[in-house]
Amino acid sequence: VKLLDALACQNRKRPPIWIMRQAGRYLPSYKALRARYPLIDLFHNSHLAAEVTLLPLKEMPLDAAILFSDILMVLELFGCTVHYPEGKAPMVELPSGVQIEDLQATAAADKLSYVKQTIQLLKPSLNVPLIGFCGGPFTVASYLIEKNHRDSLSATKKWLFTDPHAFHQLLKKITAASIDYLKMQEEAGVDVIQIFDSWAHVLGPVDFRLCCLDYLQEIMAHLSVPVILFCRGSCLRLAELAALAPAAISFDWQGELEQIAGQMPRSIAIQGNLDPDLLRGEISILEERAKELLLQMQGHPGYIFNLGHGILPDTPVDNVKRLVDLVTNGCVA
Ligand code: CP3
C-alpha cells in the first residue's frame, strides 16, 4: 500500500496523497449531511461518522481515510462537553462544579467506545489505510483554557508562565488520556496515527520542548503503528521533531521540502506542504505549485503529498479533484 510504503520510506511508485480535513465543509455531500444533523451527532454516531469518513473517498482516489472525529473528543473522558458554535471556535464546558485543575479522566473504552465502533465499522469497507488521530496535549489544553480561542493563546500562556506546575499537571493528564484513547484506536484497527499539535507554533524553542516535544515523545512511546507528527511551525523545529524519530513529519508551507529533505534522516518520511489557499485560487497556479512540489520530491521514497494545514472551507471541490488527479496520475512535467 502506497501510504504505508512511504511511511516506511520504501515507496518506489508515485507519492501517496491524502488531505488534512478531507472530510470537511468543502464537500457538498458533507454539507448535505450537516444540514440534517448537528456536528456533534456526526461525531457521536458511529454509523454517521463512518459514512462521513468515506465521503471524500467516493469522490476522489485518495490514498488514505482519516477517521471522522475531532481532537477535542478526548476531553469527554474528563466529563467535559464540547460545543461547536457555527462559525466560531469550539467551546469546552467543564463538568459542573469542577475546576480545570481537578479534572479526572475515565477510561476511553467506556466514554469513547463510539470511536472504537466507528473504526470497526470502517475497517472491512476500506481498501486504503485508516488514519486515527489525537491532538497534541498542548493544543488540546489550549481549547480547555481559552475562553475565546484565537491566535495569541494569551490565557494559555499566561497560565503556563505563572503556574507552570499546575499547567504541566494538566498536560500530563491529557497525555495519559490521549495514550489510552490512541491505544483503543490501535486495538480497533487504525493503521496509522497522526498527532495534531496545531498550536505549537506559539511557543518559543524552550517551551516547545517542555510543552510539546516531551509529551509527544511520551505518547509515541506507547504506540505501535506508524506515527505522523503535525504541528504548525514544524519547518522551524525540524531537528527537534526528527529527534523523536516519528515515521513521518508533516510540514507547513513556510519551508521548501527539497531543502528539508536534505536535512532529514532518510528514515523519516516527509508529508506536506502545499499552501491550502492555493486550492481557492486559479487552477493554473495551483497546478504550477503542485507540479513544482512533485518535481522537487520526485523519487523520494518517503514522500506523502498533502497540504501544509487543513483544507479551508469554501474550497471548490473541483479544484481538489484536479489536485488529486494530478498527483495520482503522476504528471510531473
Ligand atoms: O480530517 C478530517 O476530515 C477528519 C476530521 C477532523 C476534524 N477535526 C473534524 C471537524 C480532524 C482531523 C480534526 C482535527 C482538529 N480539530 C484540529 C487539528 C487540525 C487543524 O486543523 O489544526 C483542531 C485544532 C480541531 C479543533 C476544531 N474542531 C476547530 C478549531 C473547529 C472549528 C473550525 C474548523 O476548523 O472547522 C472544529 C470543528 C470541526 N472539526 C469541523 C470538522 C469537520 C467543522 C465542521 C462543520 O462546521 O461542519
Side-chain angles (χ1 to χ4, degrees), residues 18-26 30-31 34 37-39 42-43 52-53 56 65-72 82-90 131-136 139-140 142-143 149 194-199 230 232 309-311 313:
W18 68 279
I19 295 174
M20 285 189 270
R21 311 291 293 266
Q22 65 190 23
R25 287 172 291 195
Y26 70 101
Y30 173 80
K31 287 186 214 167
R34 274 285 276 120
Y37 303 97
L39 182 57
L42 297 185
F43 291 145
V52 178
T53 304
I66 178 157
L67 178 69
F68 187 76
S69 184
D70 193 68
I71 61 162
L72 302 180
V82 189
H83 302 278
Y84 293 93
E86 210 62 52
K88 291 205 199 116
I131 303 171
F133 68 90
C134 76
T139 293
V140 173
S142 76
Y143 282 94
H149 205 281
Q194 175 152 325
I195 309 179
F196 291 90
D197 215 349
S198 304
W199 291 90
F230 167 85
R232 276 190 280 169
H309 195 194
I311 191 165

Side-chain angles (χ1 to χ4, degrees), residues 69-80 82 84 105-106 108 111-112 114-115 133-137 140-141 173-182 185:
S69 184
D70 193 68
I71 61 162
L72 302 180
M73 291 298 108
V74 74
L75 294 173
E76 293 186 348
L77 295 182
F78 296 94
C80 297
V82 189
Y84 293 93
T106 52
K111 270 273 168 83
L112 292 174
Y114 62 87
V115 176
F133 68 90
C134 76
V140 173
K173 284 186 208 170
I174 297 173
T175 300
S178 302
I179 291 168
D180 181 29
Y181 180 40
L182 290 177
Q185 293 187 29

